[in-house]
Amino acid sequence: MSLSHALLGLLAVEPASGYALTKSFEASLGRWAWHAGHTSIYPELNRLAERGLVEVTAEGARGSRTYAVTAAGREELRSWLLRPPQQSGKVRNEEVLRMFLLSALEPGDARVVLAHIAENTAAGAAELREVRAAHAGGSFAGPEGFGQLAAEFGLRQYQAVHEWALWAIEQLDADPA
């Protein structure tokens, strides 16, 4: 994923200023999906404008600009979203690597790691359940639904990892070694 696609996606939901986009990354996007600060957002907005993928629709006080996605920008976003994610051949997932290496620990230490995973995923799931409950019955489209599909995805991911961690603890407890 790239910052340009994240910005196109946000602007496809609704026009926004660089400041508002930065706030989006500081809140839910930066925590759950993709971190970006203003030092990378503003230059990327300029590049997107140069490529004709976004346009300035309003200018305000102190040089504030409101950006909107163009038809070309929507098509770029659509094309990117419909393409399967590209594997560069370099997979780096620290969480999965840790799971591969759990057997290098003594069983008691492995249980501690798994218990932390179970605890952390339960807490994350609880937090996302609150987010989903606050938007129960609402739309999944447009600004009102922004992030709700992702919140449900995250919730289900947390639940799956939580169940896996509990299963893994049972496997360690059942192992006679």
Side-chain angles (χ1 to χ4, degrees):
M1 182 173 130
S2 69
L3 176 58
S4 61
H5 292 109
L7 291 170
L8 288 173
L10 288 170
L11 293 172
V13 172
E14 66 182 335
S17 67
Y19 177 80
L21 292 165
T22 299
K23 290 298 178 192
S24 292
F25 280 94
E26 288 174 358
S28 56
L29 277 181
R31 178 163 183 218
W32 302 103
W34 189 267
H35 174 75
H38 71 278
T39 57
S40 56
I41 291 171
Y42 284 95
E44 190 61 33
L45 286 169
N46 290 331
R47 285 190 284 276
L48 290 170
E50 288 170 6
R51 292 175 52 202
L53 301 177
V54 302
E55 63 186 352
V56 176
T57 57
E59 294 197 36
R62 297 182 307 275
S64 170
R65 295 178 178 168
T66 298
Y67 295 86
V69 69
T70 64
R74 282 186 187 281
E75 184 52 38
E76 169 61 26
L77 177 64
R78 181 180 181 275
S79 174
W80 178 75
L81 284 169
L82 291 173
R83 261 190 328 262
Q86 300 291 318
Q87 285 271 337
S88 66
K90 296 178 185 175
V91 177
R92 292 189 173 133
N93 186 323
E94 184 178 341
E95 289 182 47
V96 173
L97 177 61
R98 287 172 178 263
M99 297 311 100
F100 267 99
L101 301 176
L102 268 179
S103 62
L105 292 174
E106 293 295 325
D109 288 339
R111 282 183 194 89
V112 168
V113 170
L114 292 165
H116 283 130
I117 291 169
E119 182 180 312
N120 291 336
T121 54
E127 186 175 349
L128 287 176
R129 273 190 206 93
E130 289 178 18
V131 169
R132 293 292 297 120
H135 294 85
S139 173
F140 285 100
E144 303 82 36
F146 181 73
Q148 290 306 303
L149 292 173
E152 183 68 22
F153 176 82
L155 171 59
R156 291 175 187 227
Q157 224 176 11
Y158 276 135
Q159 290 170 333
V161 174
H162 179 77
E163 290 174 17
W164 171 83
L166 296 177
W167 171 85
I169 290 169
E170 287 178 8
Q171 301 315 300
L172 285 175
D173 289 345
D175 193 339

PDB file of all heavy atoms in Angstrom, residues 94-108:
ATOM      1  N   GLU A  94       6.731  -9.466  11.696  1.00  0.00           N
ATOM      2  CA  GLU A  94       7.352  -9.801  12.972  1.00  0.00           C
ATOM      3  C   GLU A  94       6.470 -10.694  13.827  1.00  0.00           C
ATOM      4  O   GLU A  94       6.955 -11.610  14.491  1.00  0.00           O
ATOM      5  CB  GLU A  94       7.715  -8.532  13.745  1.00  0.00           C
ATOM      6  CG  GLU A  94       8.452  -8.835  15.028  1.00  0.00           C
ATOM      7  CD  GLU A  94       8.868  -7.600  15.791  1.00  0.00           C
ATOM      8  OE1 GLU A  94       8.912  -6.503  15.203  1.00  0.00           O
ATOM      9  OE2 GLU A  94       9.157  -7.745  16.986  1.00  0.00           O
ATOM     10  N   GLU A  95       5.162 -10.458  13.809  1.00  0.00           N
ATOM     11  CA  GLU A  95       4.269 -11.286  14.628  1.00  0.00           C
ATOM     12  C   GLU A  95       4.313 -12.747  14.196  1.00  0.00           C
ATOM     13  O   GLU A  95       4.386 -13.645  15.029  1.00  0.00           O
ATOM     14  CB  GLU A  95       2.841 -10.759  14.552  1.00  0.00           C
ATOM     15  CG  GLU A  95       2.656  -9.441  15.275  1.00  0.00           C
ATOM     16  CD  GLU A  95       1.223  -8.974  15.219  1.00  0.00           C
ATOM     17  OE1 GLU A  95       0.317  -9.784  15.488  1.00  0.00           O
ATOM     18  OE2 GLU A  95       1.013  -7.788  14.902  1.00  0.00           O
ATOM     19  N   VAL A  96       4.265 -12.997  12.899  1.00  0.00           N
ATOM     20  CA  VAL A  96       4.315 -14.380  12.407  1.00  0.00           C
ATOM     21  C   VAL A  96       5.680 -14.990  12.686  1.00  0.00           C
ATOM     22  O   VAL A  96       5.775 -16.160  13.075  1.00  0.00           O
ATOM     23  CB  VAL A  96       3.954 -14.436  10.908  1.00  0.00           C
ATOM     24  CG1 VAL A  96       4.159 -15.837  10.354  1.00  0.00           C
ATOM     25  CG2 VAL A  96       2.508 -13.987  10.701  1.00  0.00           C
ATOM     26  N   LEU A  97       6.739 -14.211  12.526  1.00  0.00           N
ATOM     27  CA  LEU A  97       8.086 -14.712  12.837  1.00  0.00           C
ATOM     28  C   LEU A  97       8.167 -15.146  14.298  1.00  0.00           C
ATOM     29  O   LEU A  97       8.704 -16.222  14.616  1.00  0.00           O
ATOM     30  CB  LEU A  97       9.132 -13.651  12.543  1.00  0.00           C
ATOM     31  CG  LEU A  97      10.576 -14.021  12.880  1.00  0.00           C
ATOM     32  CD1 LEU A  97      11.031 -15.242  12.080  1.00  0.00           C
ATOM     33  CD2 LEU A  97      11.497 -12.828  12.633  1.00  0.00           C
ATOM     34  N   ARG A  98       7.617 -14.369  15.185  1.00  0.00           N
ATOM     35  CA  ARG A  98       7.612 -14.729  16.603  1.00  0.00           C
ATOM     36  C   ARG A  98       6.873 -16.055  16.838  1.00  0.00           C
ATOM     37  O   ARG A  98       7.293 -16.867  17.648  1.00  0.00           O
ATOM     38  CB  ARG A  98       6.968 -13.619  17.437  1.00  0.00           C
ATOM     39  CG  ARG A  98       7.837 -12.398  17.583  1.00  0.00           C
ATOM     40  CD  ARG A  98       7.058 -11.261  18.256  1.00  0.00           C
ATOM     41  NE  ARG A  98       7.895 -10.110  18.429  1.00  0.00           N
ATOM     42  CZ  ARG A  98       8.525  -9.818  19.563  1.00  0.00           C
ATOM     43  NH1 ARG A  98       8.396 -10.593  20.618  1.00  0.00           N
ATOM     44  NH2 ARG A  98       9.268  -8.746  19.639  1.00  0.00           N
ATOM     45  N   MET A  99       5.770 -16.263  16.098  1.00  0.00           N
ATOM     46  CA  MET A  99       5.022 -17.510  16.266  1.00  0.00           C
ATOM     47  C   MET A  99       5.837 -18.703  15.759  1.00  0.00           C
ATOM     48  O   MET A  99       5.823 -19.777  16.359  1.00  0.00           O
ATOM     49  CB  MET A  99       3.674 -17.449  15.538  1.00  0.00           C
ATOM     50  CG  MET A  99       2.728 -16.372  16.069  1.00  0.00           C
ATOM     51  SD  MET A  99       2.524 -16.349  17.862  1.00  0.00           S
ATOM     52  CE  MET A  99       3.599 -15.008  18.350  1.00  0.00           C
ATOM     53  N   PHE A 100       6.588 -18.507  14.668  1.00  0.00           N
ATOM     54  CA  PHE A 100       7.469 -19.561  14.180  1.00  0.00           C
ATOM     55  C   PHE A 100       8.512 -19.928  15.219  1.00  0.00           C
ATOM     56  O   PHE A 100       8.904 -21.088  15.342  1.00  0.00           O
ATOM     57  CB  PHE A 100       8.195 -19.109  12.901  1.00  0.00           C
ATOM     58  CG  PHE A 100       7.503 -19.485  11.626  1.00  0.00           C
ATOM     59  CD1 PHE A 100       6.727 -18.561  10.948  1.00  0.00           C
ATOM     60  CD2 PHE A 100       7.628 -20.757  11.103  1.00  0.00           C
ATOM     61  CE1 PHE A 100       6.090 -18.895   9.768  1.00  0.00           C
ATOM     62  CE2 PHE A 100       7.002 -21.112   9.924  1.00  0.00           C
ATOM     63  CZ  PHE A 100       6.223 -20.173   9.253  1.00  0.00           C
ATOM     64  N   LEU A 101       8.973 -18.941  15.977  1.00  0.00           N
ATOM     65  CA  LEU A 101      10.090 -19.147  16.896  1.00  0.00           C
ATOM     66  C   LEU A 101       9.664 -19.456  18.328  1.00  0.00           C
ATOM     67  O   LEU A 101      10.524 -19.644  19.189  1.00  0.00           O
ATOM     68  CB  LEU A 101      10.996 -17.913  16.876  1.00  0.00           C
ATOM     69  CG  LEU A 101      11.585 -17.570  15.503  1.00  0.00           C
ATOM     70  CD1 LEU A 101      12.371 -16.282  15.568  1.00  0.00           C
ATOM     71  CD2 LEU A 101      12.434 -18.715  14.968  1.00  0.00           C
ATOM     72  N   LEU A 102       8.378 -19.536  18.593  1.00  0.00           N
ATOM     73  CA  LEU A 102       7.910 -19.820  19.954  1.00  0.00           C
ATOM     74  C   LEU A 102       8.497 -21.106  20.518  1.00  0.00           C
ATOM     75  O   LEU A 102       8.769 -21.203  21.713  1.00  0.00           O
ATOM     76  CB  LEU A 102       6.381 -19.912  19.989  1.00  0.00           C
ATOM     77  CG  LEU A 102       5.647 -18.630  20.308  1.00  0.00           C
ATOM     78  CD1 LEU A 102       4.149 -18.873  20.278  1.00  0.00           C
ATOM     79  CD2 LEU A 102       6.067 -18.013  21.607  1.00  0.00           C
ATOM     80  N   SER A 103       8.690 -22.100  19.676  1.00  0.00           N
ATOM     81  CA  SER A 103       9.211 -23.378  20.182  1.00  0.00           C
ATOM     82  C   SER A 103      10.657 -23.271  20.639  1.00  0.00           C
ATOM     83  O   SER A 103      11.179 -24.202  21.266  1.00  0.00           O
ATOM     84  CB  SER A 103       9.057 -24.482  19.134  1.00  0.00           C
ATOM     85  OG  SER A 103       9.800 -24.147  17.982  1.00  0.00           O
ATOM     86  N   ALA A 104      11.313 -22.156  20.390  1.00  0.00           N
ATOM     87  CA  ALA A 104      12.672 -21.941  20.885  1.00  0.00           C
ATOM     88  C   ALA A 104      12.664 -21.573  22.371  1.00  0.00           C
ATOM     89  O   ALA A 104      13.704 -21.627  23.028  1.00  0.00           O
ATOM     90  CB  ALA A 104      13.370 -20.845  20.086  1.00  0.00           C
ATOM     91  N   LEU A 105      11.490 -21.225  22.885  1.00  0.00           N
ATOM     92  CA  LEU A 105      11.358 -20.871  24.299  1.00  0.00           C
ATOM     93  C   LEU A 105      11.025 -22.110  25.126  1.00  0.00           C
ATOM     94  O   LEU A 105      10.486 -23.094  24.613  1.00  0.00           O
ATOM     95  CB  LEU A 105      10.227 -19.853  24.486  1.00  0.00           C
ATOM     96  CG  LEU A 105      10.424 -18.459  23.924  1.00  0.00           C
ATOM     97  CD1 LEU A 105       9.137 -17.650  24.079  1.00  0.00           C
ATOM     98  CD2 LEU A 105      11.581 -17.756  24.600  1.00  0.00           C
ATOM     99  N   GLU A 106      11.301 -22.004  26.395  1.00  0.00           N
ATOM    100  CA  GLU A 106      10.813 -23.021  27.320  1.00  0.00           C
ATOM    101  C   GLU A 106       9.283 -22.949  27.302  1.00  0.00           C
ATOM    102  O   GLU A 106       8.710 -21.859  27.120  1.00  0.00           O
ATOM    103  CB  GLU A 106      11.334 -22.744  28.737  1.00  0.00           C
ATOM    104  CG  GLU A 106      12.831 -22.903  28.886  1.00  0.00           C
ATOM    105  CD  GLU A 106      13.289 -24.343  28.664  1.00  0.00           C
ATOM    106  OE1 GLU A 106      12.544 -25.265  29.046  1.00  0.00           O
ATOM    107  OE2 GLU A 106      14.366 -24.529  28.072  1.00  0.00           O
ATOM    108  N   PRO A 107       8.594 -24.066  27.491  1.00  0.00           N
ATOM    109  CA  PRO A 107       7.125 -24.053  27.430  1.00  0.00           C
ATOM    110  C   PRO A 107       6.483 -23.008  28.341  1.00  0.00           C
ATOM    111  O   PRO A 107       5.500 -22.369  27.950  1.00  0.00           O
ATOM    112  CB  PRO A 107       6.736 -25.474  27.844  1.00  0.00           C
ATOM    113  CG  PRO A 107       7.913 -26.297  27.419  1.00  0.00           C
ATOM    114  CD  PRO A 107       9.119 -25.416  27.662  1.00  0.00           C
ATOM    115  N   GLY A 108       7.033 -22.793  29.516  1.00  0.00           N
ATOM    116  CA  GLY A 108       6.462 -21.788  30.420  1.00  0.00           C
ATOM    117  C   GLY A 108       6.553 -20.387  29.840  1.00  0.00           C
ATOM    118  O   GLY A 108       5.604 -19.599  29.945  1.00  0.00           O
TER     119      GLY A 108
END
